Amino acid sequence: MTLLKVEALSREFGGILAVDSLHFEIAPGSIHSIIGPNGAGKTTLFNLVTGVYAPSAGRVHFEGRDITGLAPHRLAAMGLSRTFQNLQIFFNMTALENVMVGLHLTLDRRLGAALFRLGGVARKERRARDAAAELMRFVGLEAYLDVDADAMPYGALKGLELARALASKPRLLLLDEPAAGLNPVETEEVAGLIRKIAQSGVTVVLVEHDMRLVMGVSDHVLVLDYGRKLAEGTVDEVRANPDVIAAYLGSGAAGGTHGA
Amino acid sequence: MFAEFLQFLLSGVTVGAAYGLVALGFSIIYNASHVINFAQGEFVMLGGMSTVFLMAAGLPMPVAVVLAVLVTVVLGLLLEKLAIEPARGAGVVPLIIITIGASIFLRGVAQVAMDREFHAMPPFTGDAPIMIAGATILPQSLWVFGGMAVMGMLLWYFFARARFGKAMLATAYNPLAARLIGVNTRLVLLCSFGLSALLGSVAGILLAPITFTSYDVGIMLGLKGFCAAILGGMGHGAGAVVGGLIVGIAEAMGAGYISSEYKDAIAFIIILLVLFFMPNGLFGKRTTERV
Amino acid sequence: MSQALKRKLADPRTGGLLGLAAVIAVLPLFLPNNFYYDVAIGAGLSAIVCVGLNLLIGYAGQISLGHAGFVGLGAYSSAVLTVEFGWHPLAAMTAGALGVGILAFLVARPILRLRGHYLAMATLGLGIIISIVVNTEAEYTGGPDGMTVPSLMFFGRELYGEAVWYWIVGAALLFTVWLSLNLIASPVGRALRAVHGSEPAAEIAGVDTAHYKVLVFVISAVIASLAGSLGAHYAGFVSPANVGFFRSIELVTMVVLGGMASTYGAVVGAAILTVLPQLLTGLEDYEHIAFGLILMLTVIFMPRGLVPSFFTIARNRLASAGAPPP
Ligand SMILES: Nc1ncnc2c1ncn2[C@@H]1O[C@H](COP(=O)(O)OP(=O)(O)O)[C@@H](O)[C@H]1O
Ligand SMILES: [Mg+2]
């Protein structure tokens, strides 16, 4: 059984293939990493899988269903969630409200109930607050509950994205550079969180430049270069792969500075 | 039959050329800053009205024209410096609102500093109509058309050849990268407003002898130029000119063959149709927003 | 005062509504004659439109440059359907709101799938087309001269006069504010604010952004239409003067000045910009300059608008003046 299956997936921008006929599968219940130098197409791949971009060619299957071209909110309802490399925070809300948006699909979304405050909206909102607060505690942000998002430090915002993504109870969670810009202590905390999330049964796909983090948590690694699959396998297999070594030494600064 | 058609076509091309100039102004500012400058129409009004009042003050026409263009360009630069620059990074909606405020403000100033009357400006070179295959055309129409052709050519040269023009294009394509290679993007933005004001005022001066001018002509001229810019694909130079001509011709044909009362609605119906069926316009590039 | 009561009063839904009700109730004491009532009613009607428009601009971060067109369609539906077709005013009002809702839906549906400022352009075009139609179809609308509208009947009683309409508009305003506050404090309202904050993030959280943008656009258009109908019956007259582009901009100015993403801000903005021109009588020529300046200065120097800025300042004052918290 595969959870996510990508077939011949391509996407071009102005004549350049950012993702180039990519095939891979992701088995449920483990931590997968996708690595590769800057510009390799990792974020584009996430955008294709989550419906942010439409592919130029190829298909994406999730739990056996063809989800190619579906809007992100449909995928969210099917159990897919993600974080963003460039923070996508609701800066017009408090931290807690950010996480509450993640609960959207579990809440009462009827217009009539909202307008006339019927059907126990007030009570349900209180329960949603509690659930969101619980998630913020889980990612270690209990100090920020009612703080405006635009007053929070960068590291905390990274955690906030994670809490919001978890709020929709995903079965597949895509994390785009969750440790970028964090100090070693914070990175260690993120590693711990990723393990905890995976243990709770959520399949995690991780894009990350911090090789210590990648090598430390991954069950499976996929290496991208110029939009193509360069190598795939366990941490040890990938580390020993001559193509990978060549690419990483060749592209020098891009991947090398982050190396283990 | 044909003479009638030709007549509509000629008058459509004449106003269309002016719309094209206004649309170019929208596109230049849009490229430099992604701001849609709703005050563009006021540049057109200021060009025409200032010329009329400077001539009334006794200045000979060529001097009045040059001064009017200068006044408008200075106001365009001031608009950027005083209203757009302080709100950089405020997002698209606030910037749209600022330019709307500026447009109402400029209109108000014109109404107080000049007046609320309609004014006819004398044509540049007489008003003896020229006959073409049974249709007539005013010499001033040729001025409008020639004016657009010359401005279009100068702009093309500026963006394709001149160093600063290329810097402006680079800024439009990727502001951060442009800044990194040493382009002064703030200066680019300032100049885009100056250049747009120049185009607008020229359009206003060329058109004033044909259509009359008053403090509030900028609303419709601006909005129609804006329709033209969208039709051509916002930010696309040649598209702006083509869009202007199409809007002008559609308007003239619509007024001639369908209903003169709904003449002013035609441009706006075009806007809605374009947005429904081809939101990138005729020549606009499809871009995918980066996430 | 007990803590619970204090908290309830500080809550915009309870304390704020009570405050607004008190202002509406007490204001007539300061209105010496019908002219003042008329200004107050005008402010109230504008406020209703602005509360709806603020849902669109302030909360969902979209912009409409054609809302006066929707107000106008509501007003003219009430006028034309009652006068020309003999409809009951309430039926005409409902039909107008329904028609405007459908029109708003049809326009917004294809456009709001696109990101960016396309809605501004489309609403601008739509608003101007509406105003041209109203001016041109003189056979039905009276053209530039306008037309008279019969008064509203309520249980056999004719609703007539400033004193009566003051309370009708006041009640309608309170009701609209209540609806708006409820909406914002619900998952639907949070979804609207999420659309403003980040569309990609909203989508992956399960928010159907296109749906919510269309929804809020339709809601704000319907509110505008209903306010237009009320205004037509109150004035007994409709004319194209208040249907044009400039009126749409006035409405946006009210929202921006009072404070985007603040329901009470929309009310305050509408009140100020309705009263201000009355204070400037004799200076009509300067109205454009004043509106333009207000619009620019607010966005540049007080981008959050009057009411939110006021509350931030007040809260900081209290915090710095406050001894250890109770
Ligand atoms: N929206 C877009 N428009 C144009 N080019 C894009 C867009 N998104 C990504 N690209 C291009 O695709 C390539 C891959 O980028 P990306 O997926 O962000 O790489 P990575 O995440 O691996 O660093 C780059 O060359 C980038 O410039
Ligand atoms: Mg990336």
Side-chain angles (χ1 to χ4, degrees), chain A residues 50 71-74 76 80-82 84 88-94 97 100-102 104-105 107-111 114-117 121 125 128 164 168, chain C residues 13 59 175 178-183 185-209 212 215 219:
Chain A
T50 55
H73 70 267
R74 302 271 308 276
L80 219 85
S81 194
R82 70 175 284 188
F84 295 87
Q88 295 285 343
I89 297 288
F90 308 122
F91 283 113
N92 53 343
M93 299 185 191
T94 67
E97 287 170 331
M100 287 170 82
V101 175
H104 184 71
L105 290 172
L107 303 177
D108 186 346
R109 306 186 298 281
R110 290 169 305 164
L111 180 62
L115 281 174
F116 300 101
R117 223 165 166 71
V121 167
E125 279 289 280
R164 185 182 62 200
S168 60
Chain C
R13 258 197 327 280
Y59 284 111
F175 184 62
W178 181 69
L179 290 180
S180 164
L181 295 172
N182 284 348
L183 187 69
S186 78
V188 179
R190 206 161 37 240
L192 295 179
R193 295 165 62 206
V195 167
H196 190 179
S198 160
E199 284 193 37
E203 275 280 331
I204 201 64
V207 175
D208 182 349
T209 52
Y212 282 103
L215 180 74
I219 291 176

Side-chain angles (χ1 to χ4, degrees), chain B residues 19-45:
Chain B
Y19 295 162
L21 281 178
V22 182
L24 275 173
F26 273 109
S27 283
I28 287 170
I29 290 183
Y30 182 81
N31 273 343
S33 62
H34 282 235
V35 173
I36 292 185
N37 173 30
F38 277 97
Q40 190 65 29
E42 306 317 317
F43 295 151
V44 183
M45 175 275 292

